[in-house]
Amino acid sequence: MENEKKVIFSGIQPSGDLTIGNYLGALKNWVALQEEFDSYYCVVDLHALTVRQNPAELRARTLKNIAIYLASGLDPSKNTIFIQSHVTAHSEASWLLNCFCYMGELSRMTQFKDKSQKAGESVSAGLFTYPVLMAADILLYNTDLVPVGSDQKQHIELARDLAIRFNNLYSPTFKIPDAYIGNVGARIMDLQEPEKKMSKSAENPNSYILIMDPPDVIRKKISRAVTDDIGVVRFSEDQPGISNLISILSTITGEKPEQIEKNYEGIGYSQFKSDVADALVEELRPVQEKVKQLLDDKPYMESIYKAGAEKASYVANKTLRKMQKKLGLIPR
């Protein structure tokens, strides 16, 4: 009898337009995994509410994210693609898990500590507890693996802790998930401060490249990317800016960083940057064209996220009912 596929779950917030960090670090990995795993990929719109959103912009970005998922190569017949808020079990399970999570665990979350320092006393309770919602997202689908960047491992640890705690108290209910971190492209860095991960929330627009940026903008941002005065194309901790550009090119072409180093022996940064920009423009061109087509076909888009939510709801609600029963809640 053939073994069942392992389950993967992941999602991206529609809190801003997606960058090449999302594309090269997450989406390309997701596409590579779709034959091997039973995959659930959602747009985590509920997570975006931890900061104030313009409602019209949030709706538009949510749909654009779905379109980018599809345009990047995710096949809806092989993956469950849906919008988080369309599966109400996420919110319900989050509350139940909140009752098993400790204040100390949440206060130690690095992202909360960083963001709460900026917000002061006006920091929202949602920002404090959103790792529990993330745990609910993961645990509802009996998830085996969660593709994340290394900066998100702390959240996976919390999901594991909550699952183990619940299982120990009420008998086995959840699978214990593990992080899945891709080897190449897992961390595309800021073009201006290459010690930081590329983020769509960076104040300097030259720090990131959006998936939907036009070719001239992409070329301009790559040309302005911070490098160094060493003058050698080398993948090294001493050259974070050049190493980041090598990572971008390596993820696109499939060539190892060592091979890229050899290709550019004796060649200056100007030509190297130009080649990185050209490769990125060509990589994104079909994605951008497909996104525009999809956004013009609203009935098709609706059919994808509606079917995805129906499938996701069936699986998530089975897990939710188990939780409710074990906690002593009367079935509906």
Side-chain angles (χ1 to χ4, degrees), residues 4-11 26-43 69 73-82 137-138 141-147 180 304 307-309 311-313 315:
E4 286 187 7
K5 288 182 177 181
K6 288 192 172 182
V7 175
I8 272 187
F9 177 92
S10 196
L27 292 167
K28 278 182 75 75
N29 280 337
W30 295 0
V31 172
L33 299 172
Q34 65 184 349
E35 301 293 340
E36 187 179 351
F37 296 96
D38 181 12
S39 304
Y40 292 81
Y41 296 123
C42 70
V43 179
Y69 287 7
L74 285 179
D75 185 341
S77 70
K78 297 174 181 175
N79 306 276
T80 305
I81 300 169
F82 64 102
D137 298 338
I138 295 163
Y141 299 96
N142 297 306
T143 301
D144 296 287
L145 297 167
V146 186
Y180 179 94
I304 296 299
K311 182 184 173 187
S313 292
V315 175

Side-chain angles (χ1 to χ4, degrees), residues 198-224:
M198 183 178 286
S199 170
K200 56 203 171 201
S201 60
E203 291 182 9
N204 185 347
N206 289 313
S207 297
Y208 54 82
I209 293 172
L210 302 177
I211 292 173
M212 298 303 290
D213 272 346
D216 59 326
V217 172
I218 292 172
R219 291 192 171 94
K220 190 179 294 182
K221 289 181 178 181
I222 292 289
S223 72
R224 292 175 177 173

Side-chain angles (χ1 to χ4, degrees), residues 25-307:
L27 292 167
K28 278 182 75 75
N29 280 337
W30 295 0
V31 172
L33 299 172
Q34 65 184 349
E35 301 293 340
E36 187 179 351
F37 296 96
D38 181 12
S39 304
Y40 292 81
Y41 296 123
C42 70
V43 179
V44 287
D45 54 343
L46 295 175
H47 285 292
L49 299 178
T50 58
V51 295
R52 291 290 172 267
Q53 300 289 337
N54 176 294
E57 290 176 5
L58 180 62
R59 284 190 287 269
R61 284 196 302 265
T62 299
L63 288 175
K64 190 189 284 187
N65 276 23
I66 294 284
I68 288 173
Y69 287 7
L70 299 171
S72 299
L74 285 179
D75 185 341
S77 70
K78 297 174 181 175
N79 306 276
T80 305
I81 300 169
F82 64 102
I83 297 168
Q84 181 191 29
S85 62
H86 290 187
V87 180
T88 57
H90 288 251
S91 300
E92 294 185 64
S94 177
W95 170 251
L96 300 182
L97 290 175
N98 257 314
C99 298
F100 294 87
C101 190
Y102 306 140
M103 296 279 285
E105 289 174 313
L106 295 176
S107 64
R108 286 192 293 273
M109 289 288 158
T110 304
Q111 290 194 7
F112 173 74
K113 287 194 287 189
D114 292 345
K115 292 178 180 178
S116 61
Q117 284 176 355
K118 297 175 186 175
E121 290 192 4
S122 62
V123 64
S124 74
L127 188 62
F128 186 64
T129 61
Y130 90 92
V132 183
L133 175 58
M134 189 182 293
D137 298 338
I138 295 163
L139 298 177
L140 281 169
Y141 299 96
N142 297 306
T143 301
D144 296 287
L145 297 167
V146 186
V148 291
S150 55
D151 58 323
Q152 291 285 337
K153 286 180 74 174
Q154 193 181 28
H155 292 117
I156 307 306
E157 287 301 320
L158 179 68
R160 288 171 57 85
D161 290 343
L162 291 176
I164 291 168
R165 190 172 300 153
F166 194 99
N167 288 352
N168 287 342
L169 284 167
Y170 295 102
S171 77
T173 307
F174 302 118
K175 274 189 184 176
I176 311 303
D178 285 309
Y180 179 94
I181 299 174
N183 293 323
V184 181
R187 265 175 89 81
I188 301 299
M189 311 307 282
D190 187 298
L191 296 176
Q192 295 302 310
E193 298 180 75
E195 298 81 12
K196 297 179 179 178
K197 185 178 177 182
M198 183 178 286
S199 170
K200 56 203 171 201
S201 60
E203 291 182 9
N204 185 347
N206 289 313
S207 297
Y208 54 82
I209 293 172
L210 302 177
I211 292 173
M212 298 303 290
D213 272 346
D216 59 326
V217 172
I218 292 172
R219 291 192 171 94
K220 190 179 294 182
K221 289 181 178 181
I222 292 289
S223 72
R224 292 175 177 173
V226 167
T227 53
D228 51 61
D229 55 8
I230 297 173
V232 178
V233 176
R234 187 173 59 201
F235 195 72
S236 163
E237 288 183 5
D238 299 332
Q239 296 177 261
I242 287 295
S243 295
N244 188 38
L245 295 178
I246 290 175
S247 288
I248 291 170
L249 189 59
S250 173
T251 309
I252 292 170
T253 64
E255 286 187 308
K256 299 288 186 186
E258 309 86 70
Q259 183 58 49
I260 292 172
E261 288 180 357
K262 289 179 183 177
N263 295 346
Y264 287 92
E265 281 181 12
I267 298 174
Y269 290 170
S270 178
Q271 183 61 52
F272 174 58
K273 282 185 168 184
S274 178
D275 290 348
V276 173
D278 286 345
L280 193 52
V281 166
E282 290 309 309
E283 174 77 14
L284 293 178
R285 190 189 308 279
V287 175
Q288 294 175 346
E289 289 172 356
K290 184 66 175 175
V291 168
K292 290 170 185 172
Q293 291 172 9
L294 288 165
L295 290 175
D296 284 338
D297 192 348
K298 290 182 180 179
Y300 176 74
M301 288 281 291
E302 185 176 338
S303 72
I304 296 299
Y305 64 72
K306 193 173 180 181

